[in-house]
Amino acid sequence: MPTTLLQSDLPGLDLIHRGKVRDVYALSARELLIVASDRLSAFDVILPDPIPGKGEMLCQISNFWFAKTAPLVPNHLTGKDVASVLPAGVDARLYARRSVITKRLKPVPVEAIARGYLIGSGWKDYQATGSLCGIKLPAGLRQAEKLPAPIFTPSTKAAIGDHDENIGFDQVVATIGGDLAEQVREATLKIYTFAAEYAAARGILIADTKFEFGTDEDGKLYVMDEMLTPDSSRFWPADEYRVGISPPSYDKQFVRDYLETLDWNKTAPGPKVPQSVIDGTAAKYAEALKRLAGIELD
């Protein structure tokens, strides 16, 4: 059965970061242990209720995509056994399917987003300006419409509780330099294009997705953190896709839609989530994992 973990507890290991979902421990100057919890964030706020098994599903689908895309862009995984670094007395089963040992990289301070469809904040920006992150788009596009070609639409990387903001490519260049900015854009679109084609053949449209990148001591670029998960992407069932509406999804849009019905200002603390929404969210994550990767967590 899937395990439930709201917050990791690994005595003796150096916890260096507790994010919206992942807890990060330093193993050495070169390696990290990353644990995917069952925490759920929406609108950049961590909600009080965990989604049982979510961290395991996120970790497994990320590992699947990291393996699939390794020939395109190198990633942070080392392939080392997690059980070998856990403190004595810790239940290894709790961490086995939700944790990875990774290279310790310098994060690129930009959210790298690829969009193939016009939805979410991109749709709102387009309605207001006809553009997205400084990219002029054709007139007359409708909500959820497929773009003529995938585009790179970066955003700021906000602290927990703050909101990311879409930015233009020139701001990315100003932040990280022209050469690295070009590498990040190329890697983002290369991975997205491959994954979108792969997923479409399995009945899932990847509307958009977010990547995290880091560099090693030699300046080499790696994709890291998570990849093409229901937390970092919009997955739409192809057979229910319609232009002009926000399609149903396999991702946490299910939770967002519920939260939009509440009188909540989208700041912490987040509201409690009904069991029916928790169960429905877990089922959508599980179906995405099965359809994309052929993996079932029993």
Side-chain angles (χ1 to χ4, degrees):
M1 294 291 292
T3 61
T4 302
L5 183 72
L6 182 61
Q7 183 170 294
S8 64
D9 182 17
L10 297 173
L13 293 189
D14 181 17
L15 177 67
I16 59 174
H17 179 67
R18 203 181 293 282
K20 295 170 187 172
V21 174
R22 284 163 184 79
D23 298 339
V24 182
Y25 295 83
L27 298 178
S28 70
R30 290 182 172 271
E31 292 185 340
L32 301 172
L33 173 67
I34 301 180
V35 180
S37 76
D38 296 326
R39 297 190 292 272
L40 180 70
S41 73
F43 304 110
D44 297 308
V45 175
I46 298 172
L47 303 180
D49 302 287
I51 307 295
K54 172 176 169 283
E56 294 187 343
M57 291 186 277
L58 291 179
C59 188
Q60 294 304 306
I61 200 167
S62 285
N63 290 351
F64 167 79
W65 285 116
F66 281 132
K68 279 284 182 188
T69 61
L72 301 176
V73 179
N75 61 67
H76 67 164
L77 296 184
T78 65
K80 294 184 178 180
D81 180 24
V82 169
S84 67
V85 302
L86 296 178
V90 168
D91 184 356
R93 293 172 299 175
L94 188 56
Y95 292 90
R97 298 193 294 195
R98 64 172 71 247
S99 310
V100 286
I101 297 174
T102 73
K103 297 179 178 69
R104 190 168 184 173
L105 303 170
K106 179 183 179 182
V108 174
V110 169
E111 300 281 10
I113 298 169
R115 297 180 191 269
Y117 296 78
L118 194 56
I119 197 70
S121 65
W123 168 239
K124 292 177 182 177
D125 287 356
Y126 173 76
Q127 287 178 292
T129 67
S131 301
L132 182 49
C133 294
I135 302 170
K136 187 69 176 177
L137 297 176
L141 295 178
R142 293 173 292 167
Q143 184 181 29
E145 189 159 352
K146 187 174 184 179
L147 297 170
I151 57 175
F152 176 63
T153 59
S155 75
T156 58
K157 186 177 288 189
I160 292 178
D162 293 334
H163 299 286
D164 298 338
E165 295 183 5
N166 294 336
I167 57 176
F169 186 69
D170 55 348
Q171 192 169 336
V172 179
V173 171
T175 302
I176 64 175
D179 181 59
L180 186 56
E182 291 283 1
Q183 289 184 57
V184 168
R185 177 166 63 181
E186 180 183 357
T188 297
L189 293 176
K190 186 183 294 186
I191 296 171
Y192 174 79
T193 300
F194 168 83
E197 181 178 336
Y198 182 94
R202 288 150 183 84
I204 292 180
L205 304 180
I206 304 178
D208 52 43
T209 194
K210 175 180 69 176
F211 299 110
E212 303 273 359
F213 290 93
T215 55
D216 65 14
E217 60 270 20
D218 298 320
K220 182 177 179 179
L221 186 70
Y222 296 81
V223 62
M224 64 178 203
D225 192 45
E226 66 179 317
M227 178 186 278
L228 295 155
T229 73
D231 267 16
S232 64
S233 317
R234 282 187 177 89
F235 293 150
W236 294 338
D239 58 357
E240 297 183 63
Y241 168 67
R242 302 287 185 276
V243 176
I245 64 168
S246 180
S249 60
Y250 288 110
D251 52 59
K252 63 181 179 182
Q253 190 64 39
F254 187 78
V255 177
R256 292 192 194 101
D257 289 345
Y258 165 74
L259 294 173
E260 289 281 20
T261 69
L262 304 180
D263 182 19
W264 175 50
N265 63 2
K266 297 177 184 173
T267 59
K272 288 190 68 63
V273 178
Q275 190 62 46
S276 60
V277 175
I278 291 173
D279 294 342
T281 302
K284 287 183 175 292
Y285 278 59
E287 185 173 351
L289 179 62
K290 182 179 179 181
R291 292 186 69 168
L292 289 172
I295 297 173
E296 293 184 75
L297 297 182
D298 50 20

